[in-house]
Amino acid sequence: MSAEAAALRLGTTVAKAAAQAWVGGKRREQERQLSMADLVRLRVPGLRLQRSVERQFEEIADAVFDRLAPFLEREFGGLDEGGRQAVLDGVCDTFAAADLSDGALLAADVNPAEVVRRVMRSVAAPTGLGEAEGRLYEVLFAECCEYYVRIVRGLPVFEERALGELLARTTSLGTEIARILERLPDRSLFAPEGTDRDAEFRRRYLELVSTSLDEVELFRRTSDRAAAQARLSVAYVSLRATGDDGGRRRARRRSLPLLRPDMSDWEDGGRSEAGMRVEAALGGSSRILLRGEAGSGKTTLQRWLAITAARGAFTGELAGWNGLTPVFVKLREYSGRPLPTPEAMLDSLAGHLTGVMPRAWVERQLASGKALLLIDGVDELLDGERRGVREWLRRLLAAYGDVRVVVTSRPAAAGADWLRREEFTPLHLDRMTPPDLAAFVRQWHQAVRELGEELPCAVEELPQYEQSLLNSLKDRPHLQSLAGTPLLASMLCAMHLNRGSQLPRDRMELYRSALHTLVHDRDTERNVPSAVDSRLSLGDKLVLLRDLAWRLSDNNRSEISLERAGGYVGRKLAGMRHLDEADGARVLEQLRDRSGLLRSPAVGRLDFVHRTFQEYLAAAEAAEEDRIGNLVGRAHLDIWRETIVMAAGHANRPQREELLGGLLDRAQEEPRHARRLRLLAAACQETVLEVSDGLAERLDAAVGALLPARRETDPPALAAVGTSLLRRLPRSLEELTEKAAVQTVRTAALIGGPEALKLLSGYVDDARQDVRQELISAWGYFDADAYADAVLSAVPLDEFTVILTHSAQWHAVSRLSSLSKLTVDYPCGDFTELERLPQLDALSMFQVPVGANVSPLAAQPSLTMLSLLAAGPMEGLEVLAGLERLDYLGITLRDLTKRATPKLPPGLKYLAMYGADPTTDLAFVSGHPNIKFVYLSAYETCLPGGIEALSTLPKLDHLTLIRVDVAAWLATPLPLMPRKGTLDLEACVLPADPDALNLSGVGVQIA
């Protein structure tokens, strides 16, 4: 039998099964035994329609044939004719005997890997197959199951009474299915035993991760089936993270060497309090608990980490993550069922590959320390289930202690110390600062440019839209505050692109406008046929969506079966007497396909595209149906926080009195929940338009009980109150403890705006170190020039490091006469700006572009500390020799000597070098007379080129090596250190004989 004949038979088998599922459905069992042609003739009326449907499924069979023929051509070569026939018969017989009904697919969560496992357990395997035939049988069946599931997911719902309409929608069905199958990675026969195919499987898996996660939905287009998808890798914008309870200060010191005690302030640079780029923060620890509010970008960050790891494209402080295998686990998929074992962790993302995954492959990745485990959405589980997540993580980390883990959650669901016993470093995703928001707007428009004809405007008009929005954000500060998270900023961008003249005033209006646009206006205005024919008004659609959102929230769920959701919609329609429509399933399908709010994460399942939309609509339903008492009773549960805040905005005056009064009553009666309930009542003021005098007094008293802020978690919660809170903050910090004063400054900074700037300018006389540091750190939340003039110019800066996070700050920093230590934490290659600055003592440039000319450093001869971290070679390094006072130098080694060999200043004592590899040439350090401390790290474990130069440093007494092959170095006659001192080794390859590290006069420490 030829490979082509086998592929044709398998393609026909898969297409027939899909046709039976589509037109046979749950009909009589004898109908399922018919051929595809006979089944079509039985179920489809009319010869023309029958022929058309048959052709569509023949095209589907051809699409499967195109996928399988090359595969079988490779794999049939090692089998005789009898073996080929036995394998083919086995696959077809198993397919015929398997339960591939809708119920079976839903029971397996429409997961191809789980479908294969269930079928293999329920259907006897063919007998008489040899080892090679058995492996090919397993691979072919798994492959065909994957195609079958993909095809069924792409089929429209079959309805006899609407067959003509369905036929019109399926005229290109074969082409669409072929396109779906083309996107699957090409397969080869992976060994189910042993590790000889691990590398090949990993390559295929990483390709799949790189493509399947690299998309983000920006807004709905007018086509009937899909949302506009842009590349996440293009749309992604780096955010900022702040350490919770001091956690990030520890993380930072783990990632950079502490060279000497008197340099600690410079090395930390105040970055713990200021908020650093989240990628840099992540690089400081192998276990991270990343907390962020709704829409703050947690899941997007996890997806970006996964695709960047898959491509090996990390740079900077995450460069050491290259080579890791990403494993992305969405916890919401495990609500109500056990958390996954290692072998099942890939099912969601790469289910069609797991059927041919080498046995124990995931376990080997975890055990080797080469896995990046991304656990998303602790907050999307119930409280009891969250405890299960913690226990699951403990067991996992006990077995695989070297794996890198990033866990995300909303703050209310997981405190900063939630995983402290497991030694997780807690980080908090900050709200976007004005420059962050500007960068987001630019990147968003760059991403949508790739959508071409799917845009609501001509591509060449995008720059005008972009600049118009940036101007609006600059001129209307309340919009900057409104768009403080990526979700809200994205909604604002999309709304501006669609209806540029109607930008919202507050968060509630933003949600309301976005809902109106997504649910109704865009389709109606553009005469989309399905919208024109619909009898449902905007109000009707919102009634149905509100009811569905409440039912999900009321059951503490974020996902529901389509069948149950259709039943809910049908019952709601029955009470809408002005409508003739009664088919809940059909209406639900239209809402899912056209509203932009609902989606099917898997066949047979339904959820909202973002949980925030569910919360907004559930809040509206609570107000409409007067379920305020229900909300008050659940107010202590963190999963209800956002719903209650938005319900306050939806409520009428009596309902607001009941809701907020109820929260404050419970705070008095229940001391255990008092602080949480008062914070919630305070946060509700963000969405409430007005309250009675009596309630206002009670709210003021509740806020007063929370002030001054003392905890790390207080400022974000209090800032939600808005500008009205500024009137409650003290004009002077003198009577506050240092800790409370710092949190008060941060609260005002998070609120932002002119009033906050005026308040902070009154704090500049406070002489406490941490207060001044927090004032410096707040710069990023305000206009660069205004803040520099009103605050920074009055703060003595000589003992602090000022951090520049965007280019607009360069113009202002030249006016800060007391500045002596400067860190530039954004890509900056224009060193000429240094000529305008006061004389600096310390300068750190963390993102120097490749090819940047550093010769203007000559304008700063007073430098004693300099760090230049670049992704590649720099120009003008000869300037270093002229910096005679330079005591410390940190530099990236990647391709450093390709253009010129740097000459080090003679007085240099401390040298930190990053990113070494086997091609590195360290000859430029040879024989330096004064260097006594060297820190050397490699991107990946290796013996860096020219490392023998370190043996020629006569005063070297402290050497730190990271990811260096020390065993290979010890095999040479050269000494690791030329004199007595300390040798620190971290993640290095060590000699098999421990005695080899007993170096005379050298104290060895191994991390």
Side-chain angles (χ1 to χ4, degrees):
M1 172 178 288
S2 69
E4 287 190 344
L8 182 59
R9 182 179 172 189
L10 290 173
T12 302
T13 298
V14 174
K16 176 188 172 183
Q20 289 172 333
W22 191 55
V23 298
K26 301 177 181 178
R27 306 293 178 175
R28 297 185 303 272
E29 179 63 25
Q30 57 266 34
E31 292 184 8
R32 303 181 66 83
Q33 307 304 317
L34 297 175
S35 69
M36 183 167 61
D38 290 339
L39 184 63
V40 169
R41 283 194 290 272
L42 177 66
R43 302 290 295 122
V44 178
L47 181 60
R48 188 184 69 80
L49 294 181
Q50 292 170 3
R51 288 167 56 83
S52 181
V53 171
E54 282 188 60
R55 281 196 298 270
Q56 294 302 317
F57 282 96
E58 286 171 358
E59 288 184 17
I60 292 174
D62 289 344
V64 177
F65 169 88
D66 291 338
R67 294 286 302 174
L68 287 177
F71 173 77
L72 290 172
E73 190 71 38
R74 294 194 302 266
E75 306 303 341
F76 266 13
L79 302 179
D80 58 27
E81 180 62 26
R84 298 177 186 179
Q85 188 66 50
V87 169
L88 187 62
D89 289 343
V91 173
C92 293
D93 291 346
T94 304
F95 232 79
D99 180 6
L100 298 174
S101 64
D102 292 348
L105 292 186
L106 292 175
D109 290 331
V110 203
N111 184 322
E114 182 61 23
V115 171
V116 171
R117 283 195 283 266
R118 287 172 177 261
V119 171
M120 290 301 188
R121 287 196 298 264
S122 61
V123 178
T127 59
L129 298 181
E131 182 180 354
E133 288 89 349
R135 289 208 309 270
L136 181 57
Y137 160 77
E138 291 177 357
V139 172
L140 272 180
F141 183 73
E143 193 81 351
C144 289
C145 272
E146 165 67 13
Y147 299 157
Y148 173 77
V149 172
R150 294 277 179 169
I151 291 166
V152 170
R153 290 174 63 176
L155 292 173
V157 177
F158 179 82
E159 300 178 34
E160 286 184 73
R161 63 185 177 81
L163 184 62
E165 176 189 347
L166 284 170
L167 185 61
R169 291 175 59 183
T170 59
T171 53
S172 60
L173 183 58
T175 302
E176 290 183 17
I177 295 296
R179 189 177 299 116
I180 290 172
L181 298 185
E182 284 172 1
R183 289 200 291 266
L184 296 178
D186 188 25
R187 313 284 208 273
S188 62
L189 182 58
F190 300 119
E193 304 288 347
T195 62
D196 56 324
R197 297 285 183 162
D198 275 12
E200 185 176 2
F201 179 83
R202 181 176 184 273
R203 179 174 62 83
R204 300 291 189 187
Y205 170 68
L206 294 184
E207 287 176 359
L208 182 62
V209 172
S210 177
T211 55
S212 63
L213 290 182
D214 192 17
E215 59 183 27
V216 59
E217 181 176 325
L218 299 176
F219 54 82
R220 285 274 161 165
R221 65 188 183 208
T222 56
S223 66
D224 195 38
R225 295 191 60 80
Q229 304 285 345
R231 283 190 294 155
L232 185 150
S233 54
V234 176
Y236 177 77
V237 171
S238 175
L239 301 174
R240 297 178 185 278
T242 303
D244 280 343
D245 193 25
R248 191 159 50 79
R249 179 180 291 274
R250 293 192 295 274
R252 181 66 183 170
R253 284 178 175 169
R254 289 179 60 183
S255 63
L256 288 180
L258 184 60
L259 299 183
R260 67 183 192 209
D262 61 328
M263 294 173 66
S264 59
D265 286 341
W266 171 75
E267 287 170 3
D268 260 352
R271 294 158 70 84
S272 296
E273 291 77 14
M276 65 166 71
R277 290 298 171 190
V278 67
E279 300 83 4
L282 291 173
S285 176
S286 62
R287 299 179 182 180
I288 295 289
L289 172 61
L290 184 65
R291 309 187 314 138
E293 300 295 344
S296 59
K298 301 181 295 295
T299 299
T300 299
L301 174 62
Q302 293 276 55
R303 289 162 62 95
W304 179 84
L305 289 172
I307 62 177
T308 308
R311 297 170 183 175
F314 287 116
T315 59
E317 293 202 10
L318 289 184
W321 289 24
N322 289 324
L324 298 181
T325 301
V327 179
F328 186 34
V329 178
K330 293 184 286 186
L331 289 177
R332 65 185 298 173
E333 296 182 352
Y334 298 95
S335 180
R337 63 191 184 101
L339 291 162
T341 60
E343 70 169 3
M345 286 180 178
L346 305 189
D347 285 359
S348 173
L349 182 59
H352 57 285
L353 279 182
T354 57
V356 293
M357 179 173 63
R359 184 169 297 173
W361 182 81
V362 177
E363 286 87 341
R364 286 193 291 278
Q365 301 299 309
L366 296 171
S368 68
K370 292 292 187 180
L372 175 59
L373 190 54
L374 305 168
I375 311 296
D376 187 56
V378 171
D379 55 285
E380 299 196 38
L381 300 178
L382 298 176
D383 187 58
E385 293 175 321
R386 294 173 198 158
R387 289 192 291 271
V389 171
R390 187 159 47 191
E391 293 302 319
W392 173 71
L393 272 173
R394 284 175 182 166
R395 293 193 298 270
L396 197 66
L397 294 173
Y400 310 107
D402 294 332
V403 67
R404 291 182 181 270
V405 190
V406 180
V407 179
T408 62
S409 175
R410 290 188 186 180
D417 60 351
W418 192 66
L419 292 173
R420 191 175 300 282
R421 281 181 54 190
E422 292 74 27
E423 299 183 343
F424 274 69
T425 298
L427 298 173
H428 187 280
L429 275 178
D430 290 343
R431 288 175 60 83
M432 290 193 294
T433 65
D436 292 335
L437 179 56
F440 183 97
V441 170
R442 295 189 182 96
Q443 208 66 24
W444 190 93
H445 285 83
Q446 179 63 31
V448 301
R449 180 181 299 276
E450 298 184 356
L451 299 179
E453 294 181 356
E454 299 174 10
L455 287 169
C457 70
V459 172
E460 56 270 18
E461 295 177 8
L462 275 177
Q464 290 94 316
Y465 278 95
E466 176 185 324
Q467 192 57 50
S468 171
L469 181 55
L470 288 172
N471 291 340
S472 296
L473 290 169
K474 184 177 181 180
D475 296 338
R476 297 158 68 180
H478 73 276
L479 285 178
Q480 293 181 16
S481 176
L482 172 62
T485 67
L487 173 67
L488 295 174
S490 182
M491 289 170 57
L492 197 67
C493 289
M495 191 177 301
H496 181 267
L497 190 60
N498 287 301
R499 305 170 66 178
S501 61
Q502 299 182 31
L503 290 174
R505 294 170 297 181
D506 54 42
R507 180 157 68 115
M508 295 295 287
E509 185 178 344
L510 175 58
Y511 288 139
R512 183 166 54 252
S513 299
L515 284 171
H516 290 189
T517 299
L518 291 171
V519 174
H520 191 73
D521 293 350
R522 291 186 70 245
D523 282 354
T524 302
E525 292 171 1
R526 298 175 189 202
N527 292 317
V528 175
S530 59
V532 173
D533 293 340
S534 174
R535 298 183 181 91
L536 299 181
S537 67
L538 171 63
D540 296 332
K541 295 173 185 176
L542 290 178
V543 165
L544 297 173
L545 289 168
R546 288 200 316 259
D547 179 71
L548 193 57
W550 174 262
R551 291 181 183 275
L552 280 167
S553 297
D554 191 41
N555 291 288
N556 297 315
R557 290 286 181 264
S558 57
E559 190 176 300
I560 192 174
S561 72
L562 269 173
E563 183 178 359
R564 178 173 293 183
Y568 290 150
V569 172
R571 285 195 287 275
K572 195 68 177 177
L573 286 170
M576 300 170 72
R577 311 307 295 176
H578 63 291
L579 294 176
D580 296 330
E581 182 63 70
D583 190 337
R586 193 185 77 82
V587 171
L588 180 64
E589 180 184 1
Q590 185 184 51
L591 287 173
R592 181 193 62 185
D593 290 347
R594 295 306 311 164
S595 73
L597 293 181
L598 301 174
R599 64 180 178 183
S600 288
V603 173
R605 307 295 293 174
L606 186 80
D607 69 359
F608 283 85
V609 295
H610 197 281
R611 192 165 136 202
T612 300
F613 285 123
Q614 177 184 325
E615 291 164 333
Y616 176 88
L617 289 164
E621 181 72 0
E624 180 68 25
E625 298 297 323
D626 201 21
R627 295 189 171 110
I628 302 303
N630 194 310
L631 295 180
V632 172
R634 299 177 177 184
H636 64 288
L637 301 174
D638 57 75
I639 201 169
W640 283 87
R641 181 185 185 278
E642 289 297 310
T643 303
I644 291 172
V645 169
M646 288 187 277
H650 285 296
N652 58 37
R653 182 163 183 160
Q655 289 174 330
R656 286 196 296 273
E657 298 283 324
E658 180 184 356
L659 177 60
L660 297 178
L663 295 179
L664 297 176
D665 289 342
R666 283 195 62 193
Q668 290 178 335
E669 298 163 2
E670 303 174 35
R672 188 171 66 137
H673 301 307
R675 184 173 184 81
R676 175 176 291 183
L677 292 168
R678 289 190 181 111
L679 278 170
L680 180 55
C684 286
Q685 294 181 82
E686 175 198 2
T687 60
V688 169
L689 293 178
E690 55 98 19
V691 294
S692 66
D693 292 342
L695 182 57
E697 292 177 2
R698 295 190 67 192
L699 285 170
D700 287 343
V703 172
L706 297 169
L707 295 174
R710 292 182 177 87
R711 304 179 184 179
E712 290 275 349
T713 55
D714 286 353
L718 290 170
V721 176
T723 55
S724 63
L725 183 70
L726 295 172
R727 295 190 292 272
R728 306 295 306 279
L729 299 182
R731 304 299 101 179
S732 170
L733 302 175
E734 292 180 358
E735 297 183 3
L736 300 182
T737 65
E738 187 168 19
K739 187 175 182 179
V742 166
Q743 300 307 327
T744 298
V745 171
R746 185 161 180 251
T747 301
L750 289 175
I751 294 173
E755 291 182 47
L757 178 60
K758 183 177 180 180
L759 180 67
L760 292 175
S761 67
Y763 296 160
V764 296
D765 293 331
D766 196 298
R768 289 172 287 188
Q769 293 289 96
D770 286 352
V771 175
R772 287 183 172 176
Q773 181 62 74
E774 193 63 41
L775 286 170
I776 295 169
S777 302
W779 191 8
Y781 291 98
F782 297 89
D783 176 81
D785 290 308
Y787 195 85
D789 292 339
V791 178
L792 295 183
S793 61
V795 175
L797 302 174
D798 52 300
E799 298 181 12
F800 301 92
T801 297
V802 173
I803 302 174
L804 304 188
T805 58
H806 58 96
S807 58
Q809 292 172 323
W810 268 117
H811 180 265
V813 78
S814 62
R815 303 198 296 275
L816 305 179
S817 58
S818 62
L819 176 69
S820 65
K821 300 178 180 67
L822 181 67
T823 291
V824 182
D825 194 16
Y826 74 95
C828 176
D830 185 8
F831 280 68
T832 59
E833 295 286 349
L834 295 172
E835 299 171 356
R836 301 165 51 259
L837 301 186
Q839 290 299 295
L840 301 175
D841 176 61
L843 173 65
S844 184
M845 309 279 285
F846 281 121
Q847 300 183 56
V848 180
V850 175
N853 190 330
V854 303
S855 57
L857 283 169
Q860 295 291 339
S862 298
L863 284 173
T864 62
M865 306 172 196
L866 174 65
S867 185
L868 299 173
L869 301 188
M874 296 169 279
E875 302 281 0
L877 285 173
E878 59 275 6
V879 72
L880 297 178
L883 300 178
E884 297 180 355
R885 297 183 58 188
L886 199 64
D887 190 58
Y888 166 89
L889 175 64
I891 198 163
T892 306
L893 292 173
R894 178 177 287 180
D895 300 325
L896 180 68
T897 58
K898 275 191 173 180
R899 306 191 184 189
T901 301
K903 186 176 180 181
L904 303 178
L908 193 68
K909 296 178 182 177
Y910 303 88
L911 178 61
M913 297 177 287
Y914 307 90
D917 60 37
T919 67
T920 295
D921 184 1
L922 294 177
F924 68 94
V925 308
S926 293
H928 193 284
N930 290 310
I931 291 178
K932 65 177 186 177
F933 185 113
V934 170
Y935 173 97
L936 175 65
S937 71
Y939 282 126
E940 297 183 358
T941 303
C942 66
L943 186 63
I947 197 169
E948 61 274 6
L950 301 183
S951 303
T952 69
L953 300 177
K955 292 188 177 181
L956 181 64
D957 63 11
H958 192 126
L959 175 60
T960 297
L961 301 176
I962 313 291
R963 291 182 290 276
V964 171
D965 189 345
V966 174
W969 193 0
L970 286 171
T972 69
L974 295 171
L976 272 68
M977 294 185 64
R979 60 200 299 267
K980 296 179 181 181
T982 302
L983 174 63
D984 291 339
L985 305 177
E986 182 178 337
C988 292
V989 177
L990 304 179
D993 181 7
D995 291 338
L997 288 174
N998 292 332
L999 307 176
S1000 176
V1002 177
V1004 180
Q1005 300 181 31
I1006 301 174

